[in-house]
Amino acid sequence: MIPWLVQPHRTEPKILEWAERYSERAYLDIVRLRNHTAYALTVTDRSRPDEAKKKSLFAVPHAHEPAGTAACMNILGELLDGCDLAGNPTALDREAMLASTLLTFIPDANPEGRSRAPVEMWDGSRFTNDEFLKYAFGIDGATGERFKRVDRWSAREERPSRIGIVYERIDETTYVEPNRDWGSSFFRLAHRLMDRWPYDQFIDLHQTEFENSPYNCMIILPVSWRTLPEPICAYSRAWADDITRAWGEMDGASPHQPEVLGYTGQQRAYFEERWGRLHSLCPIITTEIQNNNPRTPPDLQRQLQETALRISIERISASA
Ligand SMILES: [Zn+2]
């Protein structure tokens, strides 16, 4: 099995080692919190002008969804070291890719939350989905039920008996949901990077439980789909179809066809407000890979995320 690098004490030294060793092929961006640092590592041949390159952003906002982190770390090894984390030579045409593309990875946008996870991988053997979700979102101190999912909350007003690992503590008392609040390390990095480089595509790597569903992977299209410019929709649809097709050829994969994010109410409002501008800048799609279910073991979770990364890199490289 490929080494599973998802906890900050394992990802951080590796990212810093790559940034230092491959200074001609990497840019490092950081957001420093009190006890943790979130990293974005951009790989490209820096001796060639960035303007002409096709650009892609890959990010993992959620601490309870570690397979995207494992996949980003493995692909970064292939692109920079020329071999995966187990030492197998890469099949990627990496010199051509580094010359013609600029690829930014945010392998773990919430190391503070991730460091509070009770396990490194959710394989479905130890926790029911209800127990898993009480780790993900926390436990309400008053009711003993799963804590609410909001963009931010304050420890001055709330007393959860367990703090969900999805939340990122950004100061003494404030916790934010990375994918839903601009104060998160995730949005701070994404905004900084998207202001610097006009990305051609952005893939947000997520996981969900697929409870009572025969499927274990799918691409989600933006909630604002009907209002997006036609070229962005056409690009996103073809890209999503390519990934879904590649999943269909993998052992153990049961891909659902791509679908528009179906949120309503407050959750929809978060996405429309916080993501609206970004969705109009470039095609943005989301992976959802099954989490916490024996049907999709951790190594398969990683492989499914990695296939989405690989297809995305190959597509953009071929168009460069
Ligand atoms: Zn997620």
Side-chain angles (χ1 to χ4, degrees):
M1 183 171 154
I2 301 286
W4 185 263
L5 269 54
V6 301
Q7 280 289 344
H9 70 273
R10 301 190 74 194
T11 53
E12 181 173 56
K14 196 74 191 162
I15 289 168
L16 293 175
E17 176 199 320
W18 279 327
E20 190 181 336
R21 186 181 322 152
Y22 301 110
S23 58
E24 297 306 309
R25 296 181 160 207
Y27 298 99
L28 189 65
D29 282 274
I30 68 171
V31 168
R32 208 179 291 284
L33 299 176
R34 266 183 356 158
N35 298 316
H36 291 94
T37 305
Y39 295 96
L41 189 63
T42 298
V43 298
T44 188
D45 180 349
R46 291 182 58 164
S47 71
R48 293 172 184 252
D50 291 335
E51 293 72 36
K53 294 168 183 163
K54 292 285 182 179
K55 302 174 181 68
S56 187
L57 179 56
F58 309 98
V60 181
H62 283 155
H64 60 294
E65 302 168 6
T69 304
C72 286
M73 295 301 287
N74 198 43
I75 288 268
L76 278 165
E78 292 192 42
L79 289 166
L80 290 169
D81 292 329
C83 57
D84 65 23
L85 296 175
N88 305 303
T90 182
L92 297 175
D93 186 2
R94 67 188 187 109
E95 293 302 338
M97 287 172 172
L98 292 170
S100 63
T101 66
L102 179 146
L103 309 171
T104 301
F105 296 81
I106 306 176
D108 173 12
N110 180 9
E112 192 278 322
R114 181 69 58 74
S115 71
R116 291 185 277 111
V119 290
E120 291 206 322
M121 48 185 77
W122 301 92
D123 62 7
S125 70
R126 283 183 59 184
F127 304 104
T128 64
N129 275 328
D130 191 50
E131 290 165 341
F132 162 71
L133 291 169
K134 284 181 169 174
Y135 280 105
F137 299 103
I139 298 176
D140 187 301
T143 65
E145 296 298 314
R146 192 193 309 167
F147 191 72
K148 61 190 174 182
R149 183 168 209 175
V150 287
D151 54 348
R152 67 167 58 199
W153 57 273
S154 169
R156 290 178 211 272
E157 290 143 22
E158 307 281 350
R159 290 272 182 276
S161 59
R162 179 193 289 156
I163 294 172
I165 63 176
V166 72
Y167 290 110
E168 179 184 31
R169 185 183 183 184
I170 58 167
D171 62 31
E172 197 59 44
T173 52
T174 309
Y175 289 82
V176 298
E177 206 281 33
N179 216 34
R180 288 165 170 71
D181 192 287
W182 284 342
S184 65
S185 297
F186 168 69
F187 266 117
R188 290 172 65 191
L189 283 169
H191 283 146
R192 187 195 305 171
L193 291 158
M194 292 178 86
D195 285 344
R196 185 188 311 152
W197 286 309
Y199 287 97
D200 297 285
Q201 58 181 36
F202 177 179
I203 187 160
D204 209 24
L205 302 165
H206 286 261
Q207 296 189 255
T208 192
E209 298 75 63
F210 286 93
E211 219 175 353
N212 305 317
S213 158
Y215 302 103
N216 66 354
C217 50
M218 83 183 282
I219 296 290
I220 306 279
L221 303 166
V223 74
S224 52
W225 186 250
R226 278 173 194 82
T227 64
L228 291 177
E230 170 53 26
I232 285 188
C233 290
Y235 185 104
S236 304
R237 174 65 75 178
W239 180 21
D241 286 344
D242 277 358
I243 293 170
T244 306
R245 206 173 302 117
W247 280 338
E249 291 166 8
M250 292 174 63
D251 286 344
S254 311
H256 191 292
Q257 287 306 303
E259 260 187 21
V260 173
L261 181 65
Y263 277 145
T264 56
Q266 186 189 48
Q267 299 298 324
R268 183 186 184 92
Y270 288 146
F271 276 83
E272 286 180 334
E273 189 196 329
R274 311 290 149 73
W275 282 89
R277 183 180 76 90
L278 302 185
H279 282 145
S280 69
L281 291 179
C282 78
I284 301 178
I285 63 171
T286 296
T287 62
E288 290 288 4
I289 305 298
Q290 190 171 44
N291 205 5
N292 198 50
N293 192 305
R295 205 153 53 79
T296 313
D299 202 50
L300 178 57
Q301 297 173 26
R302 176 192 56 77
Q303 288 173 41
L304 289 164
Q305 295 283 32
E306 223 169 283
T307 294
L309 294 175
R310 201 177 300 276
I311 295 292
S312 304
I313 295 170
E314 284 171 358
R315 285 183 106 247
I316 209 164
S317 182
S319 74

